[in-house]
Amino acid sequence: STALEDLCLIGSDATALCKDGPLANETFLGAYSWAGWIFSRLTGNSGNLSVAQAIRKLTGSAADRFGLVDRGYIATGKKADIVVFNPDEFVEVADLSEPNRPCEGVRDVLVNGVLTLSNGQQISQSGGRVLRKGSAN
């Protein structure tokens, strides 16, 4: 049988923002930092998840639950959504005075195989798109 803890996922009610376009001037504490906030608390000294368990809850388990068939795993036939980070440094730094600060500890990000963050710096490319349950996205 599956333990209740295995069924629990990690998520956020943070507003999705973007650094350009119509949402460029909007702010929301947590929009860019919730994953670092929760990750550091779940895997840190007071947490009870391993790094691998936390990553699984943030990626594969969530993709499975929401029917995102080509996401959540690094495998043949899956989209390359990859975050390269240092788990010891992946923390939120946003606060009320600067709510849109991104997390620290993230080095590179690929979205659909497109490099969008390189050496901690956002680059102009974007591979993002709307995801729909059950479809190849």
Side-chain angles (χ1 to χ4, degrees):
S1 81
T2 303
L4 184 57
E5 299 87 32
D6 293 337
L7 298 174
C8 292
L9 298 178
I10 300 170
S12 170
D13 64 350
T15 299
L17 296 181
C18 188
K19 294 190 179 263
D20 59 8
L23 299 176
N25 296 318
E26 299 296 323
T27 61
F28 188 89
L29 183 59
Y32 297 101
S33 60
W34 73 267
W37 184 89
I38 196 80
F39 188 88
S40 65
R41 281 154 181 79
L42 291 177
T43 63
N45 292 334
S46 61
N48 60 358
L49 291 180
S50 70
V51 169
Q53 290 170 315
I55 290 170
R56 171 95 170 134
K57 286 183 175 291
L58 285 163
T59 59
S61 294
D64 292 344
R65 178 80 53 89
F66 290 103
L68 303 174
V69 297
D70 58 355
R71 306 285 170 161
Y73 301 92
I74 299 174
T76 301
K78 305 288 184 184
K79 301 293 183 185
D81 294 333
I82 300 170
V83 177
V84 178
F85 69 101
N86 181 332
D88 296 327
E89 297 174 4
F90 185 43
V91 296
E92 86 291 351
V93 291
D95 57 27
L96 291 175
S97 66
E98 293 185 73
N100 287 1
R101 288 179 66 192
C103 294
E104 290 184 349
V106 176
R107 191 182 84 204
D108 301 308
V109 175
L110 288 94
V111 179
N112 286 324
V114 177
L115 186 64
T116 59
L117 187 80
S118 179
N119 291 316
Q121 300 298 311
Q122 186 172 354
I123 56 179
S124 61
Q125 299 182 84
S126 175
R129 60 182 51 108
V130 174
L131 303 179
R132 306 239 184 258
K133 182 178 181 176
S135 66
N137 299 297

